[in-house]
Amino acid sequence: MKFDILTLFPGIIDAFANESIIGRAKKKGIIEVNAINIRDYSEDKHKRVDDYPYGAGGGMVMQVMPIYNAYQAVIKNCKKKPHVIYTTPQGKIFTQERAKELAKLDHIVILCGHYEGVDERIIEEIVDEEISIGDYVLTGGELPALILVDAISRMVEGVLDSKETMESESLYNYLLEYPQYTRPYEVLGRKVPDILLSGHEANIKKWRLEQSIKRTKEKRPDLYEKYLKSLANGENL
Ligand code: ADE
């Protein structure tokens, strides 16, 4: 799985992608994350990448050609056209289901916007899908792009340690994760639930599922509805 990220701030992408689980998956060669600096593809002698909006109004707009040139450089040696995502609050809200679907692709390009956005014509020309990470506005598309990389990568085989981790975790079947405990047994006057010390695997599994269901119902009734529906449909995410 390869991610090519078109950005004005490659340092943000590299700083994240070289650490922790994503960094480990990169070292193992399971995923590739490249940050392409749009500024390197500016045709202007001052390396300009933005300009004033037509029709006035505040802010600056990212120009078509630096982005287009960066994209052409990315696809130069590709046999197949990659899937191109633009991160924007105008997009469809990102979900775990979409992460799982996108994890089946082998090449994703993510365009990160800045300032007042990008010239509409580059969206028309290269973008396949617009994604928002939530109903709030950020200063740029880099954090959303990294959220996509993180959520998609962990659904790629081999990125997490075992399939089990993936399956038991939050949201995988529309359920939140059950409560976790580690040593010491007692801390700040609070003890670990006895069942977890029983060594009875089947009972522990049952208790964890009950806890997940209870939590989801209390904290995220919207997800709980989806869970009930998925059960009724015999669906397995
Ligand atoms: N760029 C700025 N805000 C964003 C958001 N909420 N989602 C995706 N991209 C964005």
Side-chain angles (χ1 to χ4, degrees):
M1 160 68 96
K2 180 160 129 180
F3 296 95
D4 283 313
I5 303 180
L6 309 179
T7 172
L8 288 175
F9 300 96
I12 301 178
I13 306 299
D14 292 338
F16 176 82
N18 291 329
E19 297 287 338
S20 188
I21 296 176
I22 302 303
R24 186 184 70 192
K26 267 183 74 187
K27 280 198 196 95
K28 281 199 207 160
I30 307 168
I31 61 163
E32 198 181 315
V33 183
N34 305 311
I36 295 99
N37 192 344
I38 295 170
R39 200 172 295 281
D40 292 343
Y41 295 90
S42 168
E43 294 171 336
D44 179 87
K45 67 172 186 286
H46 302 293
K47 294 281 167 207
R48 195 166 179 175
V49 290
D50 61 334
D51 211 329
Y52 296 100
Y54 270 106
M60 302 292 272
V61 177
M62 284 171 69
Q63 295 172 297
V64 169
M65 285 318 286
I67 300 170
Y68 188 70
N69 294 338
Y71 173 69
Q72 287 302 326
V74 161
I75 61 165
K76 201 168 64 188
N77 297 315
C78 292
K79 286 191 202 86
K80 215 177 114 205
K81 189 203 162 301
H83 185 66
V84 183
I85 296 170
Y86 174 47
T87 51
T88 162
Q90 291 174 56
K92 220 171 146 199
I93 302 279
F94 189 53
T95 61
Q96 187 64 37
E97 284 138 285
R98 192 69 196 126
K100 207 190 167 203
E101 283 162 12
L102 289 169
K104 294 179 194 147
L105 303 177
D106 46 29
H107 189 188
I108 292 176
V109 172
I110 307 176
L111 168 62
C112 304
H114 253 274
Y115 315 117
E116 289 307 298
V118 299
D119 187 312
E120 191 64 23
R121 292 165 294 182
I122 193 67
I123 301 177
E124 291 163 8
E125 185 71 26
I126 69 166
V127 172
D128 298 306
E129 179 178 14
E130 294 180 277
I131 294 184
S132 166
I133 58 152
D135 285 336
Y136 37 82
V137 181
L138 301 167
T139 56
E142 284 71 21
L143 288 174
L146 289 171
I147 285 170
L148 301 188
V149 169
D150 192 282
I152 296 166
S153 297
R154 65 188 285 293
M155 301 310 290
V156 172
E157 187 81 42
V159 170
L160 296 183
D161 273 346
S162 65
K163 198 155 183 283
E164 200 186 307
T165 352
M166 202 151 98
E167 268 170 5
S168 66
E169 272 188 88
S170 214
L171 294 187
Y172 197 67
N173 286 314
Y174 299 116
L175 287 178
L176 301 179
E177 206 181 356
Y178 47 77
Q180 296 275 22
Y181 301 87
T182 187
R183 286 190 292 182
Y185 169 68
E186 187 174 343
V187 69
L188 305 176
R190 294 164 199 268
K191 290 179 183 154
V192 175
D194 285 336
I195 179 104
L196 297 176
L197 288 95
S198 69
H200 195 300
E201 218 178 296
N203 284 353
I204 293 174
K205 216 172 154 188
K206 185 165 164 272
W207 180 83
R208 284 180 164 164
L209 179 62
E210 284 162 7
Q211 291 293 315
S212 282
I213 294 171
K214 181 166 168 267
R215 269 193 171 189
T216 311
K217 198 171 169 183
E218 282 167 14
K219 299 188 190 200
R220 290 288 307 274
D222 57 322
L223 268 187
Y224 182 69
E225 286 305 313
K226 282 193 180 176
Y227 167 70
L228 291 182
K229 255 187 218 148
S230 78
L231 282 188
N233 296 338
E235 194 185 301
N236 192 3
L237 251 188

